[in-house]
Amino acid sequence: MNTWFAPEAPTCLKTTSDRDFPISRVFCVGRNYAAHAREMGKDPDREPPFYFTKWPETVRNADPADALTIPYPPETANYHHEAELVVAVGTPGFRIPQADALAHICGYAVGLDMTRRDRQLEARDKGRPWDVGKNVADSCPTGRLQMVEGGGHVETARISLSVNGEVRQDADIADLIWSVPEIIADLSKYYALRPGDLIYTGTPAGVGPVVSGDEITCTIDGLPPLTVRIGPPFDG
Ligand code: MN
């Protein structure tokens, strides 16, 4: 290859197997729990699912053994946690029937969709793209990917998030407005899904701000947990 500079190696997620998972693309689902839609001032009446994307390098391994620290990002005064079930695509597919959706999933993880809430709401209310609110460096700390082989699928499980030991988000995956198979069927109408794609399936109610020094822990029953500390402000 004759390139202007050496391309970066792909960002990888650690897994419960001895092989890492190279990330292709990151899709996120907006407002997928009714109580969270209401806390954001929206009607949760099963509007069609909608999506935004993040760069793969926003994902960081947040296995508790790694003691991950992420910086507090620039240009926000309201950096919010969003605990989410993350789905990893292992088999390609376009216009995937809902009944076949689970066969395209190779793993599940606990993930965060950290958000510059001030910037996101400003963009939302002006009808502008959400990129600077959502596609933030280091904003997707994610636990170890539990492979379906051995771990099975996640349909009902408690999801919870604590900041410095205080529970802020506590719900069940079964409360998703759009289930994982419904999301895969819908998203794959727009994009041919491929191995390496991650889908962050939306956050339950209880989102809120963090500050430097906070420690976030996040769990989904049956999946490896996630721990991340918020470090000093980003300084390049
Ligand atoms: Mn989210």
Side-chain angles (χ1 to χ4, degrees):
M1 209 167 32
N2 183 24
T3 57
W4 282 103
F5 55 88
E8 301 263 344
T11 302
C12 291
L13 202 51
K14 288 183 181 173
T15 75
T16 53
S17 86
D18 58 357
R19 292 180 292 162
D20 292 347
F21 181 84
I23 301 167
S24 175
R25 300 175 296 187
V26 173
F27 298 99
C28 301
V29 184
R31 294 197 291 270
N32 203 17
Y33 290 82
H36 172 62
R38 281 191 289 269
E39 80 180 345
M40 299 308 288
K42 296 293 177 184
D43 179 2
D45 190 19
R46 217 172 142 89
E47 54 178 349
F50 67 94
Y51 311 98
F52 55 91
T53 57
K54 296 193 179 200
W55 295 327
E57 62 264 34
T58 61
V59 177
R60 299 288 308 276
N61 285 287
D63 192 275
D66 294 337
L68 174 68
T69 297
I70 59 170
Y72 193 93
E75 300 300 323
T76 182
N78 199 19
Y79 197 41
H80 271 208
H81 55 77
E82 295 193 357
E84 310 206 358
L85 172 68
V86 182
V87 173
V89 175
T91 308
F94 178 57
R95 294 179 183 150
I96 298 168
Q98 200 180 305
D100 299 344
L102 293 184
H104 292 261
I105 299 172
C106 69
Y108 295 87
V110 178
L112 290 174
D113 167 22
M114 299 296 296
T115 301
R116 287 181 177 117
R117 188 70 70 203
D118 38 6
R119 298 284 89 87
Q120 182 220 356
L121 294 185
E122 211 170 80
R124 185 192 79 178
D125 295 344
K126 290 178 176 170
R128 291 177 180 164
W130 289 10
D131 294 58
V132 302
K134 285 291 194 179
N135 192 11
V136 179
D138 307 304
S139 64
C140 289
T142 299
R144 202 170 271 267
L145 185 64
Q146 177 158 286
M147 306 316 283
V148 168
E149 273 182 17
H153 290 281
V154 178
E155 281 154 299
T156 303
R158 182 180 178 207
I159 176 171
S160 86
L161 177 143
S162 301
V163 178
N164 305 326
E166 178 201 336
V167 177
R168 298 244 192 116
Q169 295 187 270
D170 194 4
D172 198 284
I173 298 304
D175 298 336
L176 283 169
I177 296 173
W178 296 95
S179 70
V180 169
E182 287 173 325
I183 290 165
I184 287 179
D186 185 72
L187 182 61
S188 70
K189 293 191 287 193
Y190 299 94
Y191 300 97
L193 298 182
R194 58 188 190 228
D197 288 342
L198 294 178
I199 305 169
Y200 289 67
T201 57
T203 197
V207 301
V210 292
V211 296
S212 293
D214 281 349
E215 186 178 84
I216 303 173
T217 56
C218 185
T219 59
I220 295 175
D221 284 351
L223 297 182
L226 167 163
T227 304
V228 61
R229 185 173 285 275
I230 307 298
F234 179 82
D235 68 353

